[in-house]
CSV table of all heavy atoms in Angstrom, one decimal:
chain,number,residue,atom,x,y,z
A,147,VAL,N,23.0,-58.8,1.2
A,147,VAL,CA,23.4,-59.8,0.1
A,147,VAL,C,24.8,-60.3,0.4
A,147,VAL,O,25.2,-61.3,-0.2
A,147,VAL,CB,23.3,-59.1,-1.3
A,147,VAL,CG1,21.9,-58.8,-1.6
A,147,VAL,CG2,24.2,-57.9,-1.4
A,148,ASP,N,25.6,-59.7,1.3
A,148,ASP,CA,26.9,-60.3,1.7
A,148,ASP,C,27.2,-59.7,3.1
A,148,ASP,O,26.9,-58.5,3.4
A,148,ASP,CB,28.0,-59.9,0.7
A,148,ASP,CG,29.3,-60.6,0.9
A,148,ASP,OD1,29.2,-61.8,1.4
A,148,ASP,OD2,30.3,-60.1,0.6
A,149,GLY,N,27.7,-60.5,3.9
A,149,GLY,CA,28.1,-60.1,5.3
A,149,GLY,C,27.2,-60.5,6.4
A,149,GLY,O,27.3,-59.9,7.5
A,150,MET,N,26.3,-61.5,6.2
A,150,MET,CA,25.5,-61.9,7.3
A,150,MET,C,26.4,-62.5,8.4
A,150,MET,O,26.0,-62.4,9.6
A,150,MET,CB,24.5,-63.0,6.8
A,150,MET,CG,23.2,-62.4,6.3
A,150,MET,SD,22.3,-61.2,7.4
A,150,MET,CE,21.6,-62.3,8.7
A,151,ASP,N,27.6,-63.0,8.1
A,151,ASP,CA,28.5,-63.4,9.1
A,151,ASP,C,28.8,-62.3,10.1
A,151,ASP,O,28.9,-62.5,11.3
A,151,ASP,CB,29.7,-64.1,8.5
A,151,ASP,CG,30.5,-63.2,7.6
A,151,ASP,OD1,29.9,-62.3,6.9
A,151,ASP,OD2,31.7,-63.4,7.5
A,152,VAL,N,29.0,-61.1,9.5
A,152,VAL,CA,29.3,-59.9,10.3
A,152,VAL,C,28.1,-59.5,11.1
A,152,VAL,O,28.2,-59.2,12.3
A,152,VAL,CB,29.8,-58.7,9.4
A,152,VAL,CG1,30.0,-57.5,10.2
A,152,VAL,CG2,31.0,-59.1,8.6
A,153,VAL,N,26.9,-59.6,10.5
A,153,VAL,CA,25.7,-59.3,11.3
A,153,VAL,C,25.6,-60.2,12.5
A,153,VAL,O,25.3,-59.8,13.6
A,153,VAL,CB,24.4,-59.4,10.4
A,153,VAL,CG1,23.1,-59.4,11.2
A,153,VAL,CG2,24.4,-58.4,9.2
A,154,TYR,N,25.8,-61.5,12.3
A,154,TYR,CA,25.7,-62.5,13.4
A,154,TYR,C,26.8,-62.2,14.4
A,154,TYR,O,26.6,-62.4,15.6
A,154,TYR,CB,25.8,-63.9,12.9
A,154,TYR,CG,24.5,-64.3,12.2
A,154,TYR,CD1,24.5,-64.9,10.9
A,154,TYR,CD2,23.2,-64.1,12.8
A,154,TYR,CE1,23.3,-65.3,10.3
A,154,TYR,CE2,22.1,-64.5,12.1
A,154,TYR,CZ,22.1,-65.1,10.9
A,154,TYR,OH,21.0,-65.4,10.3
A,155,MET,N,28.0,-61.8,14.0
A,155,MET,CA,29.1,-61.4,15.0
A,155,MET,C,28.6,-60.3,15.8
A,155,MET,O,28.8,-60.3,17.1
A,155,MET,CB,30.4,-61.0,14.3
A,155,MET,CG,31.3,-62.1,14.0
A,155,MET,SD,33.0,-61.5,13.6
A,155,MET,CE,32.7,-60.9,11.9
A,156,ILE,N,28.0,-59.3,15.2
A,156,ILE,CA,27.5,-58.1,16.0
A,156,ILE,C,26.4,-58.6,17.0
A,156,ILE,O,26.4,-58.2,18.1
A,156,ILE,CB,26.9,-57.0,15.0
A,156,ILE,CG1,28.1,-56.5,14.1
A,156,ILE,CG2,26.2,-55.9,15.8
A,156,ILE,CD1,27.6,-55.6,13.0
A,157,GLU,N,25.5,-59.4,16.5
A,157,GLU,CA,24.4,-59.9,17.3
A,157,GLU,C,24.9,-60.7,18.6
A,157,GLU,O,24.2,-60.6,19.6
A,157,GLU,CB,23.5,-60.9,16.5
A,157,GLU,CG,22.4,-61.5,17.2
A,157,GLU,CD,21.7,-62.6,16.5
A,157,GLU,OE1,22.4,-63.4,15.8
A,157,GLU,OE2,20.5,-62.7,16.6
A,158,GLN,N,26.1,-61.3,18.5
A,158,GLN,CA,26.6,-62.0,19.6
A,158,GLN,C,27.4,-61.2,20.7
A,158,GLN,O,27.8,-61.7,21.7
A,158,GLN,CB,27.5,-63.2,19.1
A,158,GLN,CG,26.8,-64.2,18.2
A,158,GLN,CD,25.6,-64.8,18.9
A,158,GLN,OE1,25.7,-65.2,20.1
A,158,GLN,NE2,24.5,-64.9,18.2
A,159,ARG,N,27.5,-59.9,20.4
A,159,ARG,CA,28.3,-59.1,21.4
A,159,ARG,C,27.6,-59.0,22.7
A,159,ARG,O,26.3,-58.8,22.7
A,159,ARG,CB,28.5,-57.7,20.8
A,159,ARG,CG,29.1,-57.6,19.4
A,159,ARG,CD,30.3,-58.4,19.3
A,159,ARG,NE,31.5,-57.6,19.7
A,159,ARG,CZ,32.7,-58.1,19.6
A,159,ARG,NH1,33.0,-59.2,19.0
A,159,ARG,NH2,33.7,-57.4,20.1
A,160,PRO,N,28.3,-59.0,23.8
A,160,PRO,CA,27.7,-58.8,25.1
A,160,PRO,C,27.2,-57.4,25.2
A,160,PRO,O,27.8,-56.4,24.6
A,160,PRO,CB,28.9,-59.0,26.1
A,160,PRO,CG,30.0,-59.5,25.3
A,160,PRO,CD,29.8,-59.3,23.9
A,161,THR,N,26.0,-57.2,25.9
A,161,THR,CA,25.4,-55.9,25.9
A,161,THR,C,25.1,-55.5,27.4
A,161,THR,O,25.2,-56.3,28.3
A,161,THR,CB,24.0,-55.9,25.2
A,161,THR,OG1,23.2,-56.8,25.8
A,161,THR,CG2,24.2,-56.2,23.7
A,162,ASN,N,24.8,-54.2,27.6
A,162,ASN,CA,24.6,-53.6,28.9
A,162,ASN,C,23.6,-52.4,28.7
A,162,ASN,O,23.3,-52.1,27.6
A,162,ASN,CB,26.0,-53.1,29.4
A,162,ASN,CG,26.0,-53.0,30.9
A,162,ASN,OD1,25.0,-53.0,31.6
A,162,ASN,ND2,27.2,-53.0,31.4
A,163,SER,N,23.2,-51.8,29.8
A,163,SER,CA,22.4,-50.6,29.7
A,163,SER,C,23.4,-49.4,29.8
A,163,SER,O,24.2,-49.4,30.7
A,163,SER,CB,21.4,-50.5,30.8
A,163,SER,OG,20.4,-51.5,30.6
A,164,VAL,N,23.2,-48.4,28.9
A,164,VAL,CA,24.1,-47.3,28.9
A,164,VAL,C,23.3,-46.0,28.6
A,164,VAL,O,22.5,-46.0,27.6
A,164,VAL,CB,25.2,-47.4,27.8
A,164,VAL,CG1,26.1,-46.2,27.7
A,164,VAL,CG2,26.0,-48.7,27.9
Side-chain angles (χ1 to χ4, degrees):
V147 293
D148 192 28
M150 271 309 284
D151 57 331
V152 175
V153 172
Y154 288 130
M155 267 195 286
I156 296 168
E157 180 191 34
Q158 297 303 315
R159 306 309 277 187
T161 61
N162 206 339
S163 294
V164 179

